[in-house]
Amino acid sequence: MEDRLSRARLGRREGTALAALGAILLVTVAWWLLALWPSGPAVPEWLERTRAVCFGVAPGGLPHAGGWMLLIGEPIGMVGFLLFAWGGAVRDGLRALAASGAGRVLLGASAVFLLGAAHLAGVRVSEARAAAFDGEAFVAQAGAPVRLDREAPPLGLVDQQGDTVHVADFAGNPLVVVFAYAHCQTVCPVIVHDAMQAVQAADSVAPGLVVVTLDPWRDTPARLPHIARMWGLPDSARVLSGSVVDVERVLDAWGIARQRDQSNGEITHPTTAYLVDRAGRLAYVTPSDPAQLAALLRGL
């Protein structure tokens, strides 16, 4: 009788341990679903904001480094703690499942499900990385302008005067759009300076100039007047920012490849400029060379 009661207590421990393991796996799957799906334009705003808070935002809508640490490290830590506390019960429970036909089916189905989920996650990450690094921008950065001739992506961000800026605001005039951030002391000042030179050289067609921040974490709307003065932007030029979610959405829409170093905030990005024609269509992506930019602007 005592032996039977001992086995009954062991059975309860096994069941509880396996239930805890199953709960960890379900929570892990839920986290990965929240972080990676759905993707693209169909993502609701509330979900984008939740992802930004929980996992951060990197190119293509993927989690940043801290988000990946949470997605991968937390499940490993929870499983490790479970094995430390109830390792014997987990092993005995898995052996008990493997000893029965129904248990083997359950274990096999769980393994197939997890492998399938891992494969889908890998595909999602690969697609997002490919989308984040726009080949056109890198071809243009290599030296030659790339003709695009398609509808310009949206802006909808706030400028240094507190106004919301849209591409349609520049209808009837060409527009130069470049991407930079204030803490950058290397290529970004050059990008902005080259764009200003090109706009001045093409003054006959009265082009507009927009600089979109790559760093909404630090280049907040409140700092935009200071940034505009720091770069020496003329009154007609706009420097844009907004919430992290809104700026990241705009950067994705324009196909701006970037990678933020979480340790120091430095951002790797291309040095290209985008030209929008008088009708609001995205005409060229081109290196930020002042003479070339001015010549293209005069031809729009």
Side-chain angles (χ1 to χ4, degrees), residues 24-47:
I24 292 170
L25 295 178
L26 288 175
V27 169
T28 300
V29 170
W31 280 353
W32 281 73
L33 286 172
L34 174 64
L36 299 179
W37 287 283
S39 61
V43 180
E45 184 175 351
W46 68 266
L47 181 55

Side-chain angles (χ1 to χ4, degrees), residues 41 54 58 88 128 191 202-203 208 216 240 249 260 266 297:
C54 294
I191 292 171
D203 185 58
L240 306 186
R249 184 188 298 118
R260 187 170 190 262
E266 296 301 309
L297 284 170

